[in-house]
Amino acid sequence: MSNNAVILAGGQGKRMKTNKPKALCNVIGEPMLEWVLTACENAGLDEICVVKGYESAQIDEFLAARASKAEITSVMQAERLGTGHAVMQAKEFLEANSDGNTLVLCGDAPFIDADTINGALELHKSRDCGVTVVTSRVEDPSGYGRIIRNENGISGIVEHKDCNPMQLAITEVNSGCYWFKTADLLEVLFEIKPENAQGEYYLTDCIELIISKGKTADAYISGNPNVALGANDRRGLLMLNDIARSEIIGKWLDEGIEFCCTDGVSIGNSVKIGQGTVIHSGVILRGNTSIGENCVIGNNCIIENTQVGNGVELNNVQAYESVIEDDVKIGPYVQLRPNSHIKKGAKIGDFVEIKNSTIGEYTAVAHLTYIGDSDVGANVNFGCGVVTVNYNGDKKFRTVIEDNAFIGCNTNLVAPVRIGRGAYTAAGSTITRDVPADALAIERTKAEIKEGYAARKLKNRTEKFEKQVRNSDNNEG
């Protein structure tokens, strides 16, 4: 018996005023659909079907790009005719899993969590329910459907606009998330009718039909107070971001992470942080990022899809899809572009850019340097202003620098080139061929001085400047 999910992600979200599906709008740097998929995967669901609609190609692209734990398929909802109609599009998926249970949830309600999913499933199975509604108790239930309970579970859901005064006082609300016994859902799904002002098929009508057939319906109250929250416009989306940001920082505070100041701090839902680490203001951690123990993540760092070891110090660093090993010190004003690997004990100073390169153990790249498409050994020293010239306008080539080499200030290493173990390049050299181990490479053109050339070359510029000075003096007089 399988437990699977159908995620409704076909909405346009017109009030978002965006050309992408509503479910792909971001909360803390990740699409709301990613939050929902992650919760389903963390709950151990076997298969997931995403119902797409508006700008469906963007949903396809998103699903193709992510690494999934569960088997994920998608179906198209060509017309947006309500939640019930959306689930109808997953008919074949439901029929293939008719012996199990199906979770139906919204791709734009990001705060569903694995504990809620599994807690509701446990109740669903223990009571042999045809349907179990995930609910939440809220202080202000305005706009939400109210849960009507009876001695056997629930008797239905009443939309806010249809509530009588007694029902308006109910604070238990529908989250829009449901566990169905899949066979029971299929039995009633195509019986629902669009008998409402909107002319839409409401999934909530399935609950009344299941109850009318004598099957049990119940509701699971989530301990997550935000489980029902979604967003219909940019103000609502900002509110979700604020809530997520606060909740995640609170979680890490409870884990003993020190925050010097939370101004501008944003930590993604999938980020991991080790004990003893200190986070300063303006730090953004997102994607599949992990920070080790006893690190200092200094002001204004942006770390995305990057693995950071223990005892690392970062200051004004931007790092993307890279690896930083233990005891590395980087910054300020450093960019690590994708596929950079900084090995143990290395030091990267100010105004350095590294791309698609490995920097060996205890190597020092002090400042004002670009290293691209390079393999650098251990204990290498880079002087100021070094550039690995990796691109000739047509193709890119790699530079290899072996252990213990010393690269002098303002050296250009024109790839493909290899600097041997312990070799030394003289300051100001442009190295165009391999340098043997322990050798000194000096590659400079012979100095040529042409007397009077500059005076002739710069005559017009100098005269223009002198004229400006004279005019300025006259104006002041």
Side-chain angles (χ1 to χ4, degrees), residues 49 58 73 111 154 171 174 227 261 317:
C49 178
Q58 294 187 34
T73 58
F111 297 145
I154 65 171
T171 60
N174 178 21
V227 70
C261 175
V317 174

Coordinates of all heavy atoms in Angstrom, one line a residue, residues 49 58 73 111 154 171 174 227 261 317:
C49 N 2.7 13.6 -7.6 CA 2.2 14.1 -8.9 C 2.0 15.6 -8.7 O 1.2 16.0 -7.9 CB 1.0 13.4 -9.3 SG 0.2 14.0 -10.9
Q58 N 7.7 26.3 -17.1 CA 8.5 26.7 -16.0 C 8.5 25.7 -14.9 O 9.5 25.4 -14.2 CB 8.1 28.1 -15.5 CG 8.3 29.2 -16.5 CD 8.0 30.6 -15.8 OE1 8.2 30.8 -14.7 NE2 7.5 31.5 -16.7
T73 N 6.1 13.0 -11.0 CA 5.6 13.2 -12.3 C 4.7 14.5 -12.3 O 4.5 15.1 -11.3 CB 4.7 12.0 -12.7 OG1 3.6 11.8 -11.7 CG2 5.5 10.7 -12.7
F111 N 4.3 26.2 4.3 CA 4.7 25.8 5.6 C 4.2 24.5 6.1 O 4.3 24.1 7.3 CB 4.3 26.9 6.6 CG 5.0 28.2 6.3 CD1 4.3 29.4 6.5 CD2 6.3 28.3 5.8 CE1 4.9 30.6 6.3 CE2 6.9 29.5 5.6 CZ 6.2 30.7 5.8
I154 N -15.7 14.8 11.8 CA -16.2 16.1 11.3 C -17.4 15.8 10.4 O -17.5 14.7 9.8 CB -15.1 16.8 10.5 CG1 -14.7 16.1 9.3 CG2 -13.9 17.2 11.4 CD1 -13.8 16.9 8.3
T171 N -12.5 28.7 15.6 CA -11.1 29.0 15.2 C -10.3 27.9 14.6 O -9.1 28.1 14.3 CB -10.3 29.5 16.5 OG1 -10.3 28.5 17.5 CG2 -11.0 30.8 17.1
N174 N -9.6 25.1 7.9 CA -9.1 24.2 6.9 C -7.8 24.7 6.3 O -7.7 25.9 5.9 CB -10.1 24.1 5.8 CG -9.7 23.2 4.6 OD1 -8.8 22.4 4.8 ND2 -10.3 23.4 3.5
V227 N 0.6 26.4 9.2 CA 0.4 25.4 8.2 C -0.6 25.8 7.1 O -0.5 25.4 6.0 CB 0.0 24.0 8.8 CG1 -1.4 24.0 9.4 CG2 0.2 22.9 7.8
C261 N 23.6 39.9 15.2 CA 22.6 40.9 14.8 C 21.8 40.2 13.7 O 22.4 39.7 12.8 CB 23.1 42.2 14.4 SG 21.9 43.4 13.8
V317 N 32.0 37.6 1.8 CA 32.3 36.6 0.8 C 31.0 36.2 0.1 O 29.9 36.0 0.7 CB 32.9 35.4 1.5 CG1 33.1 34.2 0.4 CG2 34.2 35.7 2.1

